[in-house]
Amino acid sequence: MIKYHFKKDHGFIKGLDVKGHAIFGEYGTDIVCSAVSTALIVTVNAIETLGYKENFYAKVEEGNFELQINQTNDVIEGLLINLEYTLNELAAQYKTYIKNHKEG
């Protein structure tokens, strides 16, 4: 199961931890893992290519993703709100394979 947790401070997203594997399908064909991975990478790439590379730290490893926001703004917050919405929608559709793990 994929577990994710958004860290917030005063209503702003300050970080995100994602751990695990969906195990929805065989390795390389797992659409839930692919959807989560794509959402994460697209968001990080967008923040970086829009010129905010210095505003965040991201660590990407097999089955583990960590994002830390050092300095936010409306663009970064908008992208992170969209990511949160996307992951929540995936969790609603694939309850057995992904969930918001509020405890971290």
Side-chain angles (χ1 to χ4, degrees):
M1 173 176 280
I2 296 173
K3 296 179 181 179
Y4 66 96
H5 172 68
F6 282 88
K7 301 171 189 174
K8 296 184 180 183
D9 183 29
H10 294 90
F12 293 97
I13 298 170
K14 299 301 287 181
L16 168 65
D17 290 319
V18 182
K19 297 186 184 326
H21 292 281
I23 311 175
F24 178 82
E26 292 183 32
Y27 183 82
T29 64
D30 190 323
I31 62 170
V32 177
C33 273
S34 294
V36 170
S37 296
T38 299
L40 296 172
I41 297 304
V42 165
T43 301
V44 168
N45 287 349
I47 294 170
E48 187 171 317
T49 59
L50 290 171
Y52 303 112
K53 186 176 185 174
E54 303 300 319
N55 295 49
F56 74 96
Y57 163 79
K59 180 171 89 173
V60 180
E61 297 174 341
E62 178 72 24
N64 186 34
F65 175 86
E66 178 185 338
L67 178 66
Q68 177 183 333
I69 302 301
N70 303 321
Q71 184 177 356
T72 195
N73 59 40
D74 289 343
V75 173
I76 293 171
E77 187 65 16
L79 290 167
L80 294 174
I81 289 169
N82 183 68
L83 176 59
E84 183 176 33
Y85 177 83
T86 300
L87 294 181
N88 288 341
E89 287 294 308
L90 287 167
Q93 188 170 0
Y94 297 99
K95 291 176 176 69
T96 307
Y97 304 99
I98 176 174
K99 77 173 187 171
N100 187 344
H101 189 65
K102 292 175 178 43
E103 292 79 42

